Amino acid sequence: MKRLPVVLFLAWVSLLFYSSIWLFISGFLLMRIELNNQSSCAEPPSSAAYKGFQQQQDYCWFPHKFEKAVIVIIDALKHDFAKYDPANTNPKQFQNKLEIIHRLTQSHPKHARLYPFQADPPTTTMQRIKGMTTGSLPTFVDVGSNFASYAIQEDNLIHQLVHNGKKVVFMGDDTWDGLFPQKFHKSYFFPSFNVKDLHTVDDGILRHLYPTMDGDDWDIVIAHFLGVDHCGHKHGPDHPETAKKLAQMNDMLSSLIEHLDDQTLLVVAGDHGMTDTGDHGGDSEKEVNAALFLYSKTPLFGNELEKDPEAVPQVNLVPSLAFLLGIPIPYSNLGAIIEDLFYSTHTKASAYQINALQVDRFLHSYSLAAGDLPAEKLKHLKDLFSSVTEEYEHVISMWSQSSESESHLESQLLKLIHRYQQYLVQARAMCMESWARFHPVRMIAACSILSLCCLLCYLVGEAGPCLKVSYKHLLGYPIFWSLSAALVFGLELWTSIVDLDTASIFGLVSLASQLCFLYYFRKQSSRKNRPHSRSNFLLFSISSIMLFFRCCSLFSDSFVVAEGEVAPFLLISLLTMTVAKLHWDGRLTLLTLPSLGSESLKPSLSPSYKKECPRLLGLLAGLTFCARLSGIFHSCREETPNCQPSTFLTPLSSVQDPQIKNLSYIGCVVSLGIIVYLLRKWLQHYGNLNSSSPIVLYVRWAFPLITLGISCYWALSSGADDSLTRLHDLKKLALVVFPRVIYALAGLGLLLMICNPVTVYMKRTWDSEADNTVTTYCAAPGSEAELLHVIPQIYRKMQRNLKNRLQQGMEDKEEKKTAAVEAYGLGSVYSAAMVVTLTLLALILLMLHSERLTPSFFILLVEAIIILYIHSHVSNLYSAPNGLELFSVPWYAVTAWALAGTQGFYTTGHQPVFPAIHWNSAFVGFQDGHDNNIIPAILVAANTFSSHILFSGRYYQWI
């Protein structure tokens, strides 16, 4: 096949592939519309809200109680971190550390109170900041914005505070700078993305917090500490570093309370919790359960309070702070006030009335703008709100006229408060349910397009070598008709004839182009009546059966959760059935007849085939053992509460036992050394280390240097943060220098492989004019065969050398020697370059992971070698006499490598959930952070998809 049509076909299929993913995402990760409406003091929700107050309306919506506020956000402050249990005599590292909160809640119950603070998923920092300032509910797609924060356009507390003349001073996490640009009176931002840095942000806040509090140039202070969250990511919650950081927060709160006056409110909140491994981002109980602590030197709560308060949704903090500080509730708020803060029945009813009016106004505006809220539920909420409002106005009018007893009116107000609470809870639940709905039509269309893409690849891959099909018909006509359909749909959309969005039009056009391709492919194929042994497209092979089960498993929640066990099972089953099919087809039992005159006439097995059966069974047994052994390096999802993550996922810096740490480090270095040693032995065995070319010198010297550099980097990063205090700056420099030197050496190696990928050493005695190294780039190709293939060049040059030697041997009559040519590395002329490249990539990817995952990478490489040998044996047994089958890629091989890549994803400590992403890989060699998002995105992606990168390279090597 010609190159240009193949490239165009692959580009077209890639476009269809990514368009199907985009279409699926548009139906799966839905986004809600953000309203730009702003609340203001001049435009209250309704004038009826103020009928409950007798004094003059010299306030904004509601009489405020505090002039100032200090809002302290301790990132990842779980409720378990904040509560204190005196009866616990053997607490864990994170327990009983915030003693100041327990002391204040016990000694001053009217002034201090600790609440469970319920976060809405996704539990990432940016979404939680957005929820605690706007009172809105982010959709799942908002999690992608956590790493590229954009300014919040919705109405929020920061905007209302600034608009109403409050001086807001911020210090801490620089995420706030992207969310609220140019909003703060003063700001002290510190980089937040480096999860290995435990102290920079917190120490920077402490340098500015107390001087700011002692001054008068502030009304609101917001301090966002990150040390607890970073301790969780780096070490986990149950670690001495976490205990030290919580003790530091306890000392900070104790000092901060001494700087408060009677007109200042203290709010201490966690934006989310964390799992037992220190991660967050999902919706498990440990991730959504944070802490909220409220304190004031003036009475803040009433007398009748429950001993164990109910959990407070995070969005409820927004209207509560707005009322306490005397600012309007943000327009898009869906939260309800915290009931305990308004202990007078009359005041509480008025607050709920204004809160409900604000939510009703938002629902009305949003339903007109979006139309995605269910009409029946919206009508039910409207009727409920109208009924409660009408009854409230009636009770207030009777209260002002004193027509009934005060106790009777108070009981009626309590009933109204309960109904207002029902309304607010139902409104929030309706929005949460509506904004979490999917678009099933788009998702089904995307899956159909993706399935057709796979079918197209299968058809072309099978029929391409045997059918001389016109690519003008296969590509030109489908693309022409698809573009025509896109033009027609665009005109109809522009003229409002059809009501379709861009995603739907793109999906229809993609589907139309695929159907056109299938039509012309079938039409052209029917004209070519050429038999081919592999052109039976309706035959259900072993690989198609495995692919079918694999696709079906993706539609089951249980199989998706257990995908780490499903993938190796399917891989082993596929290869076992492939070997069994060899036996079924008689490939392992080839009979040979005895020669005439022999004593026995009984046929016997061919000697070459006698060896294949036990060898294949041994390889299958080794693959099964590796697959089972690699399962110990597993991570856990929140859907499996009884699952315990592998201890090998814990980095060496978090291991507290010195003996276990030292033994683990030695094991990791030994595994790393074995990988490099096996590489050199393999190259040496096939003669690829005999020349003095640059790439051979690189393999001889650079690989040991890389191994030494990684070992030194592990030794430095595994030390405690307070170790080598005097050499702290030198250690910090070394943690940057070692990885970057390794990056540079790896880049040099890849550059050498691109410039001079293949090296074959030829030993000569007489011919010294030519170079001993033969590569594809050492001379201009003399023919198309030389241009396309490496081995023909080598043989052509060997023929010339042999001819020259024979001529010189005839001329030199005195010296009678037999002319001979020795070529080293000819058998691995293709695979040597790929082995070197993949090993180099494996070392870099290994450095991006935890040190204790080195044995897992070693097992994966052994598993890849076993699969390669199985493929080579199978291909040799199935190869045709003319050798044409050697250039065809069997689909079982493609399926096997795909399953192996999926298995490697799980056995390197990954899970397809946000909390399991290894964010610390973005700072390997970049301890001080990044100036852009490109480098950290590349490092995190390389860490996440390392197994797919390695196994896809191994698959290319086998081809």
Side-chain angles (χ1 to χ4, degrees):
M1 292 184 291
K2 297 182 179 179
R3 291 185 177 182
L4 182 59
V6 173
V7 172
L8 291 177
F9 173 78
L10 293 177
W12 176 61
V13 172
S14 300
L15 179 63
L16 293 176
F17 181 79
Y18 287 109
S19 65
S20 64
I21 294 178
W22 174 59
L23 184 62
F24 184 88
I25 290 176
S26 66
F28 180 71
L29 302 180
L30 298 177
M31 296 183 65
R32 64 177 179 84
I33 294 178
E34 294 185 353
L35 302 181
N36 294 327
N37 305 55
Q38 307 286 336
S39 299
S40 65
C41 295
E43 297 179 1
S46 175
S47 59
Y50 300 97
K51 291 184 179 180
F53 301 105
Q54 303 297 328
Q55 64 269 34
Q56 294 182 353
Q57 297 182 10
D58 56 350
Y59 45 80
C60 180
W61 286 29
F62 198 83
H64 68 279
K65 191 172 184 179
F66 296 98
E67 297 290 341
K68 296 183 177 183
V70 178
I71 303 174
V72 177
I73 298 177
I74 302 178
D75 210 289
L77 181 65
K78 294 177 61 175
H79 186 256
D80 294 340
F81 293 176
K83 67 181 181 180
Y84 192 95
D85 185 9
N88 188 357
T89 59
N90 188 23
K92 296 182 178 181
Q93 298 287 353
F94 58 84
Q95 293 177 336
N96 292 358
K97 294 298 184 292
L98 297 181
E99 182 269 339
I100 182 63
I101 293 179
H102 173 73
R103 178 159 52 86
L104 291 175
T105 54
Q106 295 298 316
S107 60
H108 301 86
K110 292 185 178 181
H111 299 255
R113 193 149 177 81
L114 176 65
Y115 292 91
F117 205 30
Q118 202 75 16
D120 295 304
T123 52
T124 50
T125 297
M126 193 280 284
Q127 284 71 39
R128 295 299 87 237
I129 295 175
K130 187 175 181 180
M132 289 189 293
T133 54
T134 64
S136 60
L137 302 173
T139 55
F140 184 75
V141 73
D142 286 341
V143 74
S145 304
N146 190 59
F147 317 106
S149 303
Y150 300 98
I152 294 179
Q153 303 298 327
E154 283 185 304
D155 196 7
N156 55 81
L157 283 177
I158 305 301
H159 169 78
Q160 291 296 337
L161 289 169
V162 174
H163 185 72
N164 288 275
K166 300 288 186 180
K167 298 178 181 179
V168 183
V169 179
F170 178 84
M171 52 192 73
D173 187 352
D174 60 354
T175 305
W176 292 70
D177 186 26
L179 296 175
F180 307 102
Q182 308 298 324
K183 289 289 186 180
F184 301 109
H185 179 65
K186 291 182 180 180
S187 58
Y188 307 96
F189 297 112
F190 302 95
S192 60
F193 196 46
N194 189 356
V195 295
K196 290 187 176 182
D197 187 356
L198 308 182
H199 307 294
T200 298
V201 178
D202 294 359
D203 293 345
I205 295 174
L206 294 177
R207 285 196 304 269
H208 299 283
L209 179 58
Y210 304 122
T212 302
M213 294 285 297
D214 294 335
D216 297 329
D217 196 20
W218 67 277
D219 294 308
I220 307 294
V221 172
I222 303 176
H224 191 157
F225 292 87
L226 290 175
V228 175
D229 178 68
H230 288 186
C231 280
H233 285 295
K234 186 177 182 180
H235 302 292
D238 194 12
H239 191 272
E241 289 295 331
T242 305
K244 293 179 182 178
K245 184 56 65 175
L246 289 174
Q248 183 187 27
M249 294 296 101
N250 184 74
D251 296 338
M252 178 271 298
L253 292 176
S254 300
S255 302
L256 183 61
I257 289 172
E258 297 177 357
H259 290 75
L260 299 179
D261 57 24
D262 294 341
Q263 295 297 318
T264 303
L265 172 68
L266 174 63
V267 179
V268 181
D271 56 344
H272 51 74
M274 67 172 65
T275 62
D276 292 336
T277 58
D279 300 314
H280 59 88
D283 59 352
S284 66
E285 182 66 24
K286 295 180 180 180
E287 293 171 274
V288 301
N289 194 8
L292 173 65
F293 174 68
L294 301 175
Y295 173 77
S296 171
K297 291 190 175 181
T298 58
L300 189 60
F301 304 98
N303 295 322
E304 299 179 358
L305 292 177
E306 297 180 2
K307 184 177 180 181
D308 296 324
E310 296 182 355
V312 174
Q314 280 190 349
V315 293
N316 289 8
L317 182 64
V318 174
S320 304
L321 285 180
F323 283 163
L324 292 176
L325 298 174
I327 60 174
I329 302 176
Y331 194 91
S332 301
N333 167 70
L334 287 171
I337 61 172
I338 301 176
E339 183 179 2
D340 296 342
L341 296 172
F342 308 90
Y343 40 86
S344 169
T345 304
H346 190 186
T347 305
K348 187 184 303 183
S350 301
Y352 270 114
Q353 163 71 359
I354 300 174
N355 192 181
L357 283 168
Q358 171 267 320
V359 172
D360 176 73
R361 183 182 64 176
F362 166 72
L363 293 179
H364 177 72
S365 301
Y366 186 86
S367 61
L368 294 178
D372 57 354
L373 297 178
E376 295 182 0
K377 293 185 178 180
L378 198 61
K379 183 178 182 302
H380 168 73
L381 287 174
K382 189 64 178 179
D383 295 340
L384 176 61
F385 173 76
S386 300
S387 174
V388 179
T389 302
E390 181 180 354
E391 188 174 351
Y392 172 80
E393 293 178 355
H394 175 69
V395 172
I396 292 299
S397 63
M398 290 191 299
W399 191 296
S400 60
Q401 298 173 3
S402 301
S403 58
E404 295 188 18
S405 63
E406 184 174 347
S407 60
H408 176 69
L409 293 175
E410 187 170 350
S411 63
Q412 289 185 315
L413 284 178
L414 290 175
K415 294 179 181 179
L416 290 175
I417 289 173
H418 179 68
R419 296 183 65 186
Y420 273 130
Q421 290 174 340
Q422 287 182 332
Y423 169 78
L424 294 171
V425 171
Q426 293 179 16
R428 178 170 170 264
M430 178 192 68
C431 293
M432 184 180 298
E433 180 182 356
S434 300
W435 295 335
R437 288 184 302 175
F438 305 130
H439 200 298
V441 176
R442 291 186 184 179
M443 296 170 64
I444 295 174
C447 293
S448 302
I449 295 174
L450 190 61
S451 301
L452 285 177
C453 285
C454 298
L455 178 61
L456 294 180
C457 293
Y458 177 79
L459 294 176
V460 174
E462 290 291 307
C466 64
L467 295 177
K468 306 298 182 181
V469 183
S470 173
Y471 279 88
K472 179 182 70 174
H473 295 84
L474 291 183
L475 289 178
Y477 289 159
I479 294 178
F480 171 76
W481 288 114
S482 61
L483 291 177
S484 301
L487 181 62
V488 171
F489 279 120
L491 291 175
E492 292 180 351
L493 181 64
W494 182 55
T495 56
S496 301
I497 297 179
V498 295
D499 187 14
L500 293 175
D501 55 5
T502 306
S504 301
I505 293 178
F506 204 83
L508 290 175
V509 170
S510 301
L511 192 61
S513 66
Q514 290 177 309
L515 294 177
C516 290
F517 181 90
L518 291 175
Y519 171 76
Y520 283 106
F521 183 87
R522 180 179 178 276
K523 187 176 180 181
Q524 293 294 323
S525 300
S526 61
R527 298 176 182 177
K528 310 292 182 179
N529 190 18
R530 298 185 180 184
H532 191 266
S533 61
R534 302 181 64 191
S535 59
N536 187 5
F537 307 128
L538 299 179
L539 178 63
F540 286 93
S541 61
I542 298 175
S543 59
S544 62
I545 295 174
M546 288 299 169
L547 279 177
F548 175 76
F549 284 116
R550 168 72 172 144
C551 295
C552 291
S553 67
L554 297 178
F555 292 92
S556 170
D557 292 340
S558 300
F559 278 97
V560 169
V561 173
E563 188 178 18
E565 289 79 23
V566 173
F569 171 77
L570 293 178
L571 172 63
I572 297 173
S573 301
L574 171 62
L575 295 180
T576 302
M577 294 178 65
T578 302
V579 174
K581 190 174 185 296
L582 284 174
H583 178 72
W584 181 267
D585 294 340
R587 301 284 179 171
L588 297 179
T589 57
L590 183 63
L591 298 178
T592 57
L593 296 176
S595 60
L596 295 176
S598 60
E599 297 180 358
S600 176
L601 297 178
K602 184 178 180 180
S604 62
L605 291 176
S606 174
S608 61
Y609 286 88
K610 281 183 179 180
K611 299 178 181 178
E612 293 300 329
C613 186
R615 189 175 299 171
L616 287 174
L617 292 178
L619 290 174
L620 285 176
L623 178 64
T624 304
F625 176 76
C626 290
R628 298 293 297 177
L629 185 61
S630 62
I632 64 176
F633 302 92
H634 68 281
S635 180
C636 296
R637 297 178 58 158
E638 60 270 15
E639 294 93 337
T640 55
N642 296 326
C643 175
Q644 293 296 328
S646 173
T647 57
F648 291 95
L649 301 180
T650 306
L652 289 177
S653 58
S654 301
V655 178
Q656 302 179 34
D657 191 338
Q659 185 176 1
I660 296 178
K661 177 183 289 189
N662 294 333
L663 291 176
S664 299
Y665 176 77
I666 294 174
C668 295
V669 174
V670 169
S671 300
L672 182 63
I674 290 176
I675 294 175
V676 177
Y677 173 77
L678 292 179
L679 168 69
R680 295 193 59 176
K681 292 298 292 184
W682 187 88
L683 294 175
Q684 185 178 2
H685 174 73
Y686 286 101
N688 295 103
L689 295 181
N690 292 318
S691 70
S692 59
S693 63
I695 188 62
V696 172
L697 294 177
Y698 179 87
V699 173
R700 287 180 177 274
W701 298 103
F703 272 87
L705 289 177
I706 292 176
T707 303
L708 179 62
I710 295 177
S711 302
C712 294
Y713 173 74
W714 287 346
L716 292 172
S717 61
S718 62
D721 294 333
D722 54 355
S723 62
L724 300 176
T725 306
R726 297 181 179 179
L727 302 177
H728 181 268
D729 294 337
L730 182 60
K731 176 183 175 182
K732 186 176 181 180
L733 178 62
L735 289 175
V736 174
V737 171
F738 276 115
R740 293 192 181 185
V741 169
I742 294 172
Y743 291 148
L745 288 175
L748 176 62
L750 294 177
L751 183 62
L752 290 175
M753 295 304 302
I754 293 174
C755 298
N756 193 6
V758 182
T759 298
V760 176
Y761 177 69
M762 296 176 60
K763 185 178 180 181
R764 290 180 293 232
T765 303
W766 299 321
D767 187 10
S768 60
E769 296 179 359
D771 188 13
N772 287 348
T773 303
V774 181
T775 68
T776 54
Y777 301 98
C778 64
S783 63
E784 185 178 358
E786 290 184 356
L787 179 64
L788 297 179
H789 303 289
V790 178
I791 293 180
Q793 292 187 62
I794 299 174
Y795 277 113
R796 188 180 295 272
K797 188 165 185 177
M798 291 177 64
Q799 287 177 349
R800 291 196 298 265
N801 294 335
L802 183 60
K803 184 178 181 180
N804 293 335
R805 291 193 176 198
L806 289 174
Q807 292 176 355
Q808 293 180 8
M810 294 296 295
E811 295 175 358
D812 193 358
K813 297 181 181 180
E814 296 181 357
E815 187 176 2
K816 298 181 180 180
K817 295 182 178 179
T818 304
V821 178
E822 297 180 12
Y824 295 92
L826 188 60
S828 56
V829 63
Y830 291 112
S831 57
M834 288 301 301
V835 168
V836 173
T837 302
L838 291 174
T839 306
L840 188 60
L841 290 176
L843 295 179
I844 300 302
L845 296 173
L846 180 57
M847 187 177 63
L848 297 178
H849 285 75
S850 173
E851 312 92 338
R852 304 179 75 187
L853 287 175
T854 308
S856 176
F857 272 81
F858 174 71
I859 294 173
L860 288 180
L861 292 177
V862 173
E863 186 175 334
I865 294 173
I866 293 176
I867 297 176
L868 278 174
Y869 274 102
I870 293 177
H871 287 334
S872 64
H873 287 292
V874 173
S875 60
N876 290 334
L877 294 174
Y878 267 120
S879 60
N882 55 9
L884 293 177
E885 293 287 342
L886 294 176
F887 296 96
S888 299
V889 182
W891 283 101
Y892 85 89
V894 179
T895 307
W897 286 113
L899 292 173
T902 302
Q903 178 216 351
F905 173 80
Y906 289 96
T907 56
T908 51
H910 295 95
Q911 286 284 346
V913 290
F914 286 103
I917 298 178
H918 300 173
W919 301 113
N920 54 350
S921 60
F923 300 95
V924 177
F926 300 90
Q927 295 292 318
D928 297 329
H930 301 273
D931 297 330
N932 55 72
N933 294 327
I934 299 177
I935 295 179
I938 293 175
L939 294 177
V940 173
N943 173 281
T944 304
F945 302 105
S946 56
S947 64
H948 298 85
I949 295 173
L950 293 177
F951 277 103
S952 61
R954 294 287 180 183
Y955 166 68
Y956 177 75
Q957 174 188 349
W958 180 79
I959 294 177

